[in-house]
Amino acid sequence: MKHTINKHSWAEPYKMKMVELLKMTTRQQRIKAIKKAGYNTFLLKSEDVYIDLLTDSGTNSMSDRQWGAFMTGDEAYAGSKSYYKLEAAIQKYYGYKYIVPTHQGRAAENILSKILIKKGDIIPGNMYFTTTRLHQELAGGIFADIIIDEAHEPLNDHPFKGNVDLAKLYKLVKEHGASKIPYVSLATNVNLAGGQPVSMANLKELRAYTSQHKIRIIHDMTRVAENAYFIQQREEGYDKKTIKEIVFEICSLTDGATMSAKKDALVNIGGFMATNEWDVFEEARNLVVVYEGLHTYGGLAGRDMEAIAVGIAESLDDNHQRARVGQVEYLGHRMMEYGVPIVKPIGGHGIFVDAKAFLPHLTQDQFPAQTLAAEMYIDSGVRTMERGIVSAGRKANGENYYPQLELVRFTIPRRVYTQAHMDVIAESAANVYDKRKSIKGLKMVYEPKYLRFFQAKFQKM
Ligand code: F0G
């Protein structure tokens, strides 16, 4: 019999050369471990975790080429060869003129916020990210969410849920004046919306408007290649363009960037700040010495800069991105088959389960997402992360933010897990879903002052 198969699998464009062995645990051991961790998956010991979906940050597998480059790192204190390689890669692939390396993304956010924000400034952004907003606030700014409303609706399958609602921006400019808005904080593939992309058309409109009002666009480009993949797949006129071309075009529509290289760029540590403005660069070079290290290493070892330079190029390969997002989509489809409520469309870096829909009998004050993350761990040793009321934290006046999205993030590290691992995760989510009605909520018994989701502790109700 002749078979005609038109579909090609998303299978990986690499094979394994080294593996890391894992400890297998029993349900009893996991119940004990999560209780000890105050029902906070951040406080688990990683050796007690089977499949670690806490984050896609710094958890990637490096390639043989990256490890090769790693060995050639130039560890000079000043003027390291590796710095110039990193600078060249950023200029070539992203097009930004000036760069300052930092040990990770939030360090770049700290420096940039200090330079650009004055007390009382408004920072519009397409949904907040925890560290980004905190640095904006610590610098005296006030964050204003200008993402489209669809981004706050888990089931709305708008193809570009990361888009900016320009009407919301016009309103802010009218209310406060453009001089109060140093920049628009634009993230590509918006993390907390569920890994949702911005369209090129939207970005072009934003560019036209902000240029007219002399407002910068600062690009949180942590997951820009994943965003480019979605533009290639979904946006008219981009299906023949390469991810490399699309990423370059995105960056060309912005004035500067902060980057956590721990995501897209396929490394375990690193980041940078980039700008096209000489004055901003000069100031950043002054500040990086205070917080990170000299401007030619910014808190990184030479070998780290080497690995990032190679990782940037690998992240822009079309086959890599197809396998990367393909694996995430595979997991999402498996979970949907079991009826597990997830954010749609499926995002770039993970599956976001709608905890409000999963555990409708819990109020948001009973921390449905935190509860679900703990239950997933108990069921199978899969570690996920709360992205709901705990992550959202408190306003300056002490009140809780009550985010519309109450999600559990199943974040997929790049080039780490197999399709069989994806099956285990989906089956475990289905198990927990089957007994959802018997699951009780949590109460918070310890709350740290900043970024409470990292260290808060809970007890079962
Ligand atoms: N911006 C975005 C969109 C991020 O997702 C992160 C980190 C940062 C900035 C900060 O970068 O961690 O290198 O300092 N996100 C991680 C996560 C922590 O799990 O989503 P960093």
Side-chain angles (χ1 to χ4, degrees):
M1 211 169 82
K2 204 173 152 229
H3 291 282
T4 346
I5 298 171
N6 296 320
K7 284 184 85 165
H8 292 280
S9 165
W10 49 267
E12 297 84 352
Y14 51 84
K15 60 182 179 178
M16 289 171 201
K17 189 176 285 196
M18 190 194 276
V19 296
E20 177 180 339
L21 300 182
L22 300 173
K23 179 174 109 183
M24 304 303 281
T25 53
T26 64
R27 186 180 178 85
Q28 276 321 308
Q29 287 170 325
R30 294 193 293 271
I31 289 174
K32 220 170 127 190
I34 194 77
K35 204 168 165 188
K36 195 164 167 222
Y39 295 89
N40 185 345
T41 51
F42 277 103
L43 299 178
L44 287 166
K45 288 188 178 155
S46 96
E47 67 164 355
D48 294 332
V49 172
Y50 174 37
I51 302 176
D52 203 348
L53 309 184
L54 189 67
T55 178
D56 63 329
S57 180
T59 52
N60 307 301
S61 289
M62 294 212 294
S63 67
D64 50 354
R65 292 174 210 175
Q66 283 177 292
W67 281 111
F70 204 72
M71 297 304 292
T72 67
D74 172 5
E75 306 304 343
Y77 189 90
S80 158
K81 261 194 318 215
S82 310
Y83 164 80
Y84 292 105
K85 277 196 200 158
L86 176 62
E87 182 191 47
I90 292 167
Q91 289 170 340
K92 175 176 171 190
Y93 293 113
Y94 301 143
Y96 295 117
K97 277 195 199 151
Y98 311 114
I99 75 132
V100 174
T102 56
H103 81 278
Q104 62 183 73
R106 69 198 70 183
E109 291 164 0
N110 174 34
I111 291 169
L112 195 93
S113 301
K114 279 200 161 70
I115 296 170
L116 295 182
I117 300 174
K118 293 189 303 296
K119 197 170 164 39
D121 280 351
I122 309 292
I123 316 297
N126 54 344
M127 199 169 270
Y128 81 98
F129 182 72
T130 51
T131 60
T132 320
R133 184 179 66 190
L134 182 59
H135 281 300
Q136 291 162 358
E137 289 172 349
L138 290 173
I142 302 158
F143 177 81
D145 191 5
I146 55 165
I147 203 164
I148 56 172
D149 288 339
E150 287 88 337
H152 295 283
E153 300 162 11
L155 295 183
N156 192 313
D157 60 5
H158 190 294
F160 292 102
K161 274 170 122 172
N163 278 356
V164 166
D165 184 339
L166 283 146
K168 291 183 186 169
L169 180 59
Y170 302 157
K171 203 165 149 246
L172 287 172
V173 171
K174 221 168 140 193
E175 222 173 288
H176 304 278
S179 63
K180 276 275 187 208
I181 304 179
Y183 63 91
V184 170
S185 181
L186 180 93
T188 37
N189 236 43
V190 181
N191 186 354
L192 296 198
Q196 304 292 331
V198 178
S199 74
M200 197 69 87
N202 184 253
L203 182 52
K204 283 182 182 163
E205 264 189 85
L206 179 69
R207 175 72 292 177
Y209 179 78
T210 49
S211 294
Q212 203 186 330
H213 291 269
K214 300 203 163 43
I215 300 172
R216 298 177 187 86
I217 301 176
I218 297 296
H219 179 199
D220 181 342
M221 61 181 303
T222 296
R223 297 181 183 84
V224 66
E226 289 167 10
N227 196 119
Y229 175 77
F230 286 126
I231 288 178
Q232 185 189 57
Q233 298 301 309
R234 297 177 188 166
E235 193 163 353
E236 219 187 304
Y238 285 91
D239 58 331
K240 299 274 183 315
K241 294 226 155 110
T242 60
I243 288 181
K244 213 180 268 173
E245 291 165 332
I246 299 170
V247 164
F248 196 86
E249 186 176 349
I250 293 173
C251 295
S252 76
L253 294 166
T254 69
D255 302 293
T258 55
M259 167 77 156
S260 169
K262 300 169 74 173
K263 283 81 165 175
D264 255 9
L266 297 163
V267 291
N268 304 118
I269 193 73
F272 60 82
M273 196 207 97
T275 172
N276 293 333
E277 296 170 75
W278 174 258
D279 296 358
V280 174
F281 174 54
E282 244 193 337
E283 187 73 23
R285 271 196 312 188
N286 289 331
L287 280 181
V288 77
V289 188
V290 181
Y291 293 106
E292 298 284 290
L294 196 68
H295 65 278
T296 55
Y297 75 88
L300 292 171
R303 52 181 172 261
D304 298 321
M305 294 190 281
E306 293 280 343
I308 300 170
V310 177
I312 288 172
E314 289 181 2
S315 77
L316 303 182
D317 176 71
D318 284 33
N319 290 316
H320 162 71
Q321 245 0 294
R322 194 167 104 88
R324 156 57 173 167
V325 180
Q327 185 180 44
V328 174
E329 287 178 336
Y330 173 82
L331 174 61
H333 287 126
R334 291 290 330 259
M335 285 167 80
M336 283 196 275
E337 280 166 26
Y338 290 123
V340 176
I342 68 171
V343 172
K344 286 177 204 152
I346 295 168
H349 64 304
I351 302 302
F352 290 68
V353 173
D354 181 355
K356 280 187 189 169
F358 199 111
L359 299 170
H361 57 287
L362 301 187
T363 65
Q364 205 165 9
D365 287 313
Q366 295 170 322
F367 310 108
Q370 190 79 27
T371 303
L372 179 52
E375 293 295 328
M376 276 301 302
Y377 173 73
I378 292 170
D379 187 74
S380 56
V382 169
R383 169 155 73 170
T384 56
M385 183 201 288
E386 195 264 8
R387 289 274 96 145
I389 183 166
V390 185
S391 295
R394 291 180 189 272
K395 300 178 194 167
N397 68 7
E399 281 171 31
N400 274 315
Y401 283 106
Y402 282 89
Q404 215 168 320
L405 297 179
E406 177 72 23
L407 308 174
V408 177
R409 189 178 73 168
F410 292 56
T411 344
I412 312 299
R414 295 164 190 77
R415 307 194 292 207
V416 173
Y417 292 113
T418 66
Q419 184 161 340
H421 285 122
M422 298 302 120
D423 291 335
V424 170
I425 299 159
E427 287 155 15
S428 173
N431 269 343
V432 178
Y433 193 56
D434 283 347
K435 55 177 188 214
R436 61 192 179 276
K437 293 204 175 98
S438 66
I439 295 173
K440 293 197 177 67
L442 296 169
K443 63 172 190 255
M444 203 189 294
V445 293
Y446 166 67
E447 180 174 353
K449 191 163 165 210
Y450 295 117
L451 301 176
R452 64 183 182 185
F453 56 95
F454 284 128
Q455 283 142 356
K457 288 202 163 191
F458 301 82
Q459 272 170 11
K460 269 274 170 211
M461 302 267 284

